Amino acid sequence: MQNYWGIDLGGTKIEGVILSAPSPDAVIIRKRIDTEAHLGYDHIMSQIVRLIDLLKAETDLQPDRIGFGTPGTFDPARQTMKNCNTTVLNGRPMKQDLARLLNVPVAVANDANCFALAESTMGIVPDVVPNFQSVFGVIMGTGVGGGVVVRGRDGVPFVLNGLQGIGGEWGHNILEENGYACYCGKRGCNEQVISGPALQRYYQQISGEERTMKEIMERYQEGNDLVASQTVNRMLEYFGRAVSVIINILDPDAIVLGGGVGNVDLLYTEGVERAKKYVFNSREINTRFLKPKLGDSAGVFGAALL
């Protein structure tokens, strides 16, 4: 019987799962340990090996392949990692090193791709759009990212990684000309406009007060904070513009909104209304905007499905 092994490599935690089937109800074991990224690349590799050894010991199972969700992108041309906010991974041949250390084939994908794959395969999408052709998974939280899942000719959904490994990289397209500078080298990219920290920064610069996104939304709903209203209006308008680009290029059956900011209910109503102004279509937007079903399990489940 085939089991599905997945590892979600985060900046602070590494999570592992073994599934007996591609279903959220088929978890054999889940386990987390600290990443301890400050101790360097080799230590992270040893922590991954340690976690997998723990999974083996506690289940008496052996993997024949393992999927890895990562905080960056595997570059197919250079065979190294790039764009990782766990910066010690950048430039390192992580995929090859893992295959050598674990002595099994490994697959590697960005954590946003894993989110999209999990929700498309065993999350909300099969419940609503079971016969989809393509799905875009959005992450709007501390950062902004995305992933593309398409249905293959055999009917099996797969991640569209792209020639350079940046398929679905939605967070670093320019949204606001001459906006805030980003570590990616551009100014005003999606991450610098509609991420949680970017919206909080906008609120603080106008009001002079530090507020969390939760507090900003509460003050907006109370209706007596003009700056909160400006901040929420900015979020909705720029979300509409940014998501319209996804629809114009990919025209997916569904867009699943993940991350902390993705929990804002207004994105599914007013945010979609804003997008209608920018989508190249004479009719209503038929794309389904969906709330994720798997919560923080999506990353590790998606890794197992790679």
Side-chain angles (χ1 to χ4, degrees):
M1 181 181 70
Q2 179 183 358
N3 292 314
Y4 299 78
W5 291 61
I7 303 292
D8 185 20
L9 176 57
T12 58
K13 299 286 184 185
I14 307 172
E15 181 172 12
V17 72
I18 307 175
L19 304 174
S20 60
S23 165
D25 300 320
V27 175
I28 297 172
I29 188 174
R30 286 179 70 171
K31 200 168 190 69
R32 289 184 179 186
I33 64 172
D34 292 337
T35 308
E36 298 176 350
H38 64 285
L39 296 176
Y41 174 78
D42 291 337
H43 184 75
I44 294 175
M45 295 297 101
S46 69
Q47 287 292 84
I48 292 172
V49 173
R50 177 181 162 231
L51 176 57
I52 291 169
D53 285 343
L54 289 170
L55 295 173
K56 291 177 183 177
E58 294 188 26
T59 62
D60 210 22
L61 295 172
Q62 295 289 328
D64 58 10
R65 64 195 69 185
I66 304 175
F68 287 86
T70 70
T73 299
F74 176 72
D75 189 323
R78 293 189 172 92
Q79 295 285 298
T80 56
M81 299 300 295
K82 64 183 178 183
N83 303 337
C84 301
N85 52 20
T86 304
T87 55
V88 294
L89 300 177
N90 289 326
R92 304 304 292 263
M94 191 178 84
K95 183 177 179 181
Q96 299 91 312
D97 286 345
L98 288 171
R100 173 179 52 81
L101 290 167
L102 301 169
N103 199 30
V104 295
V106 302
V108 175
N110 177 265
D111 48 15
N113 287 333
C114 291
F115 163 79
L117 182 60
E119 289 293 346
S120 298
T121 305
M122 50 196 275
I124 189 60
V125 177
D127 294 344
V128 181
V129 197
N131 298 314
F132 72 87
Q133 289 183 307
S134 65
V135 171
F136 196 90
V138 163
I139 301 292
M140 289 174 61
T142 304
V144 172
V148 180
V149 172
V150 296
R151 189 179 297 282
R153 292 178 181 173
D154 58 0
V156 178
F158 67 94
V159 170
L160 190 65
N161 285 308
L163 176 66
Q164 298 161 106
I166 57 172
E169 187 46 81
W170 181 62
H172 296 283
N173 293 311
I174 295 173
L175 183 57
E176 183 179 41
E177 189 175 357
N178 299 319
Y180 291 106
C182 183
Y183 72 89
C184 72
K186 295 187 282 290
R187 302 186 70 91
C189 57
N190 291 351
E191 190 163 299
Q192 295 301 320
V193 181
I194 55 176
S195 68
L199 292 164
Q200 289 167 190
R201 175 182 59 200
Y202 178 82
Y203 181 92
Q204 181 183 2
Q205 290 191 333
I206 297 175
S207 69
E209 300 177 354
E210 286 190 31
R211 299 282 181 187
T212 65
M213 269 308 295
K214 183 181 180 202
E215 291 171 331
I216 292 169
M217 290 306 304
E218 288 171 351
R219 294 173 77 85
Y220 166 79
Q221 288 160 359
E222 289 166 1
N224 54 9
D225 186 331
L226 180 60
V227 181
S229 295
Q230 288 178 268
T231 303
V232 172
N233 187 66
R234 174 181 173 82
M235 173 187 68
L236 294 170
E237 176 64 19
Y238 278 109
F239 169 80
R241 294 184 188 185
V243 83
S244 72
V245 176
I246 297 169
I247 298 172
N248 284 341
I249 294 174
L250 184 63
D251 199 10
D253 297 84
I255 296 175
V256 187
L257 303 182
V261 179
N263 289 326
V264 176
D265 288 338
L266 281 171
L267 293 176
Y268 297 85
T269 54
E270 181 60 26
V272 176
E273 287 298 315
R274 301 293 181 97
K276 288 180 181 178
K277 298 185 293 182
Y278 306 108
V279 171
F280 188 55
N281 190 33
S282 58
R283 297 179 289 112
E284 294 287 302
I285 294 177
N286 295 323
T287 311
R288 304 296 293 269
F289 285 75
L290 305 176
K291 292 185 177 182
K293 180 179 178 179
L294 300 174
D296 64 1
S297 300
V300 74
F301 286 171
L305 295 173
L306 289 175

